[in-house]
Amino acid sequence: MAEKISTSVDLSGEDVHWSPKGGLSYGAYLRLNDILEAQSPLTAEHDEMMFIVIHQTSELWLKLCLHELDAAIDCLAREEFGPAFKMLSRIARIQEQLTQSWSILATMTPADYLKFRDRLGQSSGFQSAQYRMLEYRLGNKNPAMARVHAKTDAAEKVNHYLNLPSIYDETLKQLAKAGFDIPAELLDRDFSQPYEPNAAVEAAWKAVYSDTVTNWALYELAEKLVDVEHKFQQWRFNHMKTVERIIGYRRGTGGTGGVSYLVKALDLRFFPELWTVRTSL
């Protein structure tokens, strides 16, 4: 006789809470009605729903990245390295999820996208306030980028993040506290301006990497930062290649050059000396 195959789950003996006490159900806790009703396609084109869901879920992941990054910086300021390391590791894993989302979006062909692209008007991911705040907190301090948010509800928050120290600014303070010779002008500077690479900082990192036993906490911090930036670069690269695959070299809906702009972004570094020190070791 053939092996018996189950086609339904046996619930006998299970004490299922069919009506949760207090009304706090799974859907109520997560406010799923609000979330699942937040997709409002502008056309009847099949792929527009996927396009919306990808970008909405990306914004949720960005929200979590900011939550973790803000907390990690606070932990570093209190010299609580362990929790900060855990949060930075989590950010890197979130970045993997964000990177994977591009492979889903890439299932949309140019013909699919062109069916609804014109209805998007001038809306663009370039206008993502959370992405801007995340980049500011990581260290890409470009005040001009805040202009796109000037007339939005996020303007005040974006400018607040522009003026906050980045995680690298806080890391340099930790290097100084550990006795490394970090120039004073790097520790007390206008945090809204781009950070400029410094030979003294590279020398400090070289000393850290040359004696990892003595400087283990700073060494691990450095590698956590490199991991986050590595994942961020992979996200940027996949973004660029997905855009290239779908719209070629058309100009972006937000007014940038599209692929040409995204290629320029690939050259950005949040933690420059952590990359250049690798050559000098």
Side-chain angles (χ1 to χ4, degrees):
M1 183 176 177
E3 180 182 352
K4 184 178 179 181
I5 298 176
S6 296
T7 57
S8 64
V9 176
D10 180 8
L11 291 177
S12 61
E14 304 296 336
D15 187 19
V16 177
H17 299 304
W18 300 111
S19 299
K21 292 180 179 179
L24 187 60
S25 66
Y26 174 80
Y29 175 62
L30 297 177
R31 297 183 64 179
L32 291 184
N33 286 342
D34 294 334
I35 294 172
L36 297 178
E37 291 177 4
Q39 296 74 45
S40 301
L42 300 175
T43 72
E45 297 300 334
H46 177 80
D47 281 20
E48 190 182 356
M49 177 62 77
M50 183 267 292
F51 186 81
I52 292 172
V53 169
I54 287 289
H55 287 84
Q56 287 182 338
T57 53
S58 293
E59 288 293 330
L60 288 173
W61 285 125
L62 290 175
K63 182 173 184 175
L64 184 55
C65 277
L66 280 168
H67 176 71
E68 299 294 335
L69 187 56
D70 285 340
I73 294 172
D74 288 344
C75 284
L76 286 180
R78 297 191 298 269
E79 298 183 44
E80 297 173 2
F81 286 89
F85 294 159
K86 178 181 179 181
M87 294 164 187
L88 290 172
S89 292
R90 182 173 293 166
I91 291 169
R93 302 294 83 76
I94 295 169
Q95 287 288 0
E96 291 176 358
Q97 291 293 319
L98 284 165
T99 299
Q100 177 62 23
S101 69
W102 294 121
S103 67
I104 302 172
L105 193 63
T107 64
M108 181 172 62
T109 70
D112 296 330
Y113 186 43
L114 289 174
K115 290 177 182 177
F116 65 87
R117 185 177 191 253
D118 287 346
R119 293 295 302 276
L120 301 180
Q122 295 183 344
S123 63
S124 166
F126 186 84
Q127 299 150 9
S128 169
Q130 289 195 127
Y131 179 80
R132 190 74 57 229
M133 291 187 288
L134 181 63
E135 279 212 321
Y136 282 164
R137 206 63 160 133
L138 286 170
N140 181 17
K141 295 299 186 78
N142 186 335
M145 294 290 194
R147 289 177 56 193
V148 76
H149 309 288
K151 296 181 180 180
T152 71
D153 293 339
E156 185 176 346
K157 197 168 185 180
V158 169
N159 278 295
H160 174 67
Y161 270 77
L162 172 62
N163 288 280
L164 286 175
S166 72
I167 191 166
Y168 200 51
D169 289 317
E170 184 55 49
T171 296
L172 296 186
K173 290 182 181 179
Q174 295 305 316
L175 281 170
K177 286 181 180 179
F180 292 97
D181 185 19
I182 306 299
E185 62 269 21
L186 298 183
L187 303 174
D188 184 17
R189 68 184 192 88
D190 181 352
F191 295 124
S192 71
Q193 296 303 307
Y195 170 80
E196 295 294 335
N198 187 281
V201 174
E202 182 174 329
W205 284 126
K206 186 173 183 179
V208 169
Y209 275 85
S210 297
D211 186 359
T212 59
V213 174
T214 302
N215 303 299
W216 186 264
L218 290 170
Y219 167 60
E220 188 171 358
L221 173 58
E223 286 300 293
K224 294 295 185 187
L225 293 178
V226 167
D227 193 33
V228 167
E229 180 152 16
H230 183 194
K231 295 296 190 297
F232 208 95
Q233 287 295 86
Q234 289 177 324
W235 184 90
R236 281 175 171 158
F237 179 79
N238 279 33
H239 183 191
M240 181 271 292
K241 297 305 289 185
T242 301
V243 171
E244 181 183 42
R245 174 172 175 164
I246 296 175
I247 68 168
Y249 286 82
R250 287 171 175 263
R251 184 166 291 277
T253 52
T256 68
V259 169
S260 62
Y261 170 77
L262 296 173
V263 168
K264 287 190 291 186
L266 290 175
D267 292 330
L268 297 176
R269 295 290 189 182
F270 297 129
F271 321 123
E273 294 91 353
L274 287 177
W275 296 98
T276 55
V277 74
R278 281 154 161 73
T279 304
S280 63
L281 285 171

